[in-house]
């Protein structure tokens, strides 16, 4: 948790999440325990013999155990409140995991299991997995070590038949020597992969998506989420920040475990502590993920592709009004006369504008510039990233593409207007009038005699106003959003859409266009991302 050991190269996090199905009705956590048995194993190791001793890890465990108890979990032993197991040896850790697996199996096919570990961890540089270190661990691997890797634990605990496994690893990934060849078959057996696949991962470091074994013991409705307190090739600090935020999000209602972990990741990245870390995760969630407290049914069909990726929503193919009628108040000369345009193929678009927490992940990797932002005044992870030029946006999209393994881009003008209108031919998605309660703009200005309000002069959280009919928030106002459109063949002028918190209300009309040089940065300029859908994702969106 304190300092990484030398060695190994960067391994990029690549993961994919299936679209979330309709979520279950909102019910309190303890009330759900009867139909969704919840068991948790909490292990905290601090008194190491061969590694630095850790001081905050015991508090980490107490916080998380208290939060889990408040949301209906019982201890891994099968009875009583969740207990914190401290300073376990390899033998004791193995026994605790075995007991946990047995109790999950006894709980039945609807069980929800959570394993939280706080302590030192090691990146196994030979095949991309990571290992939990018991207090008696040395700096050389032994065959017994393979049973305490992330992949082995996930496969082993899913073998209990539990419907969902959440594994939270609050630890560094210090690089230990590569496992000897004699471990290859054991690693393959424990993780459910082919022996040749273990070898193919040589030279990687950090998170790798678990390869599921075709064993009948793994049901198609089972899923897992493995969360790390830091990103690949980065340090997790012994300061308690991650566990504090995790415990708070476990207790927050109206979110699934996927929602909760993304909020944890974003909040930790924006925490005011002196140490920067960006949590990330690997997952294979199936169907509707469980909720700690209650679920938000309005969020049932949004998804994300990686821990640093924005929330996305699939938009079906269709026909949209494009441009404005010549009679529309505020119409500019560069707007086309309104006519129907066909969007031939479904696509995914950000539910929100890119947030400062998501942008900071790119800054941390030295792939994006550190820009002025409004989070200094409001340290909310949902404050939009700002001061972004078209060229900055392209850098973020390139980084996001590497992070996710999916090709992200800016929307075309047609896609943006289609997503903004959500079927409406009126000036705004909600009609031909506008008022201060509908969007974040310069509320002192009028549009067709609209009401006014004091000028706010700052961006609000990206979910600060109601979503449109496509479930997209703040397509109008808050931040100007870059598109792929340009005004000439050489693209010396790039098109932004949507208006901002500084704009007069007529700028928020769905057809309005704003030309800006691609290198120009504005304090009210942000972006919303798009990616094409794969063929197997289109079924429910066409």
């Amino acid at each position: 948790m304190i300092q990484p050991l030398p060695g190994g190269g960067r391994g990029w996090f690549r993961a994919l999440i299936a679209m979330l199905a309709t979520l279950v009705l909102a019910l309190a956590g303890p009330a759900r325990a009867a139909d969704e048995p919840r068991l948790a194993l909490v292990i905290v190791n601090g008194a190491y013999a061969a590694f630095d001793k850790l001081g905050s890890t015991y508090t980490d465990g107490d916080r998380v155990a208290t939060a889990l108890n408040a949301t209906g979990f019982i201890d891994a032993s099968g009875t009583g409140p969740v207990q914190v197991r401290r300073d376990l040896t390899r033998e004791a850790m193995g026994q605790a995991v075995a007991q946990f697996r047995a109790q999950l199996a006894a709980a039945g096919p609807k069980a929800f299991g959570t394993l939280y570990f706080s302590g030192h961890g090691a990146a196994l540089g030979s095949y991309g997995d990571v290992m939990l270190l018991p207090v008696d661990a040395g700096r050389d691997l032994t065959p017994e070590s393979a049973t305490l890797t992330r992949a082995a634990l996930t496969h082993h605990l899913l073998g209990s038949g539990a419907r969902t496994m959440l594994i939270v690893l609050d630890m560094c990934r210090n690089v230990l020597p590569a496992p000897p060849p004699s471990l290859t078959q054991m690693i393959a057996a424990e993780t459910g992969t082919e022996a040749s696949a273990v070898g193919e991962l040589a030279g990687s470091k950090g998170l790798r998506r678990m390869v599921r074994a075709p064993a009948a013991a793994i049901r198609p409705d089972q899923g897992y989420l493995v969360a790390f307190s830091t990103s690949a090739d980065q340090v997790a600090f012994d300061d308690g920040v991650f566990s504090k935020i995790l415990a708070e999000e476990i207790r927050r209602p109206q979110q699934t475990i996927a929602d909760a972990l993304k909020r944890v990741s974003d909040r930790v990245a924006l925490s005011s502590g002196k140490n920067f870390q960006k949590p990330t995760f690997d997952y294979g969630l199936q169907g509707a993920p469980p909720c700690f407290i209650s679920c938000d049914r309005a969020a049932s069909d949004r998804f994300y592709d990686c821990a640093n990726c924005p929330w996305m929503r699939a938009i079906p193919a269709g026909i949209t009004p494009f441009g404005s009628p010549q009679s529309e108040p505020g119409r500019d000369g560069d707007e086309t006369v309104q006519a129907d345009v066909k969007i031939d193929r479904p696509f995914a678009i950000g539910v929100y504008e890119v947030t400062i927490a998501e942008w900071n992940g790119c800054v941390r990797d030295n792939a994006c510039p550190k820009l002025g932002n409004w989070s200094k005044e409001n340290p909310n992870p949902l404050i939009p990233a700002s001061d972004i030029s078209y060229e900055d946006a392209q850098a973020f999209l390139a980084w996001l593409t590497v992070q996710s393994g999916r090709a992200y881009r800016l929307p075309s003008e047609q896609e943006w207007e289609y997503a903004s209108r959500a079927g409406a031919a009126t000036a705004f998605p909600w009609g031909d009038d506008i008022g201060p309660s509908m969007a974040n703009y310069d509320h002192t200005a009028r549009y067709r005699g609209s009401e006014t309000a004091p000028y706010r002069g700052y961006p609000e959280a990206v979910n600060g106003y109601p979503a449109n009919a496509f479930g997209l928030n703040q397509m109008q106002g808050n931040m100007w959003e870059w598109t792929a459109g340009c005004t000439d063949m050489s693209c010396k002028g790039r098109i932004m859409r949507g208006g901002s918190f500084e704009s007069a209300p007529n700028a928020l009309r769905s057809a309005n266009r704003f030309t800006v040089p691609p290198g120009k940065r504005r304090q009210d300029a942000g972006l919303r991302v798009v990616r094409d859908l794969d063929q197997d994702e289109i079924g429910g969106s066409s």
Side-chain angles (χ1 to χ4, degrees), residues 508-530:
L508 275 64
R509 295 175 302 107
S510 292
N512 184 57
R513 307 169 78 225
F514 182 37
T515 303
V516 180
K520 175 72 173 178
R521 289 173 176 159
R522 294 174 53 97
Q523 69 171 356
D524 62 346
L527 77 154
R528 188 182 303 258
V529 302
V530 162

Side-chain angles (χ1 to χ4, degrees), residues 310 350-356 358 382-385 459-462 473-481 499 526-529:
V351 175
Y352 310 117
E353 294 155 331
V354 170
T355 67
I356 186 62
E358 291 159 351
L382 294 179
I383 292 296
E460 299 188 51
V462 294
N473 292 75
Q474 301 209 89
M475 296 289 291
Q476 269 59 42
N478 215 39
M479 283 285 157
W480 283 104
E481 298 177 10
L527 77 154
R528 188 182 303 258
V529 302

Side-chain angles (χ1 to χ4, degrees), residues 34 128 174 202 242 349 352 379 415 535 537 542:
N174 300 334
F242 175 78
I349 188 168
Y352 310 117
E415 288 171 332
Q535 191 61 42
E537 297 176 299
S542 55

Side-chain angles (χ1 to χ4, degrees), residues 5 120 163 167 282 329 508:
L5 298 173
H120 279 303
R163 184 176 186 275
I167 298 177
D282 180 25
L508 275 64

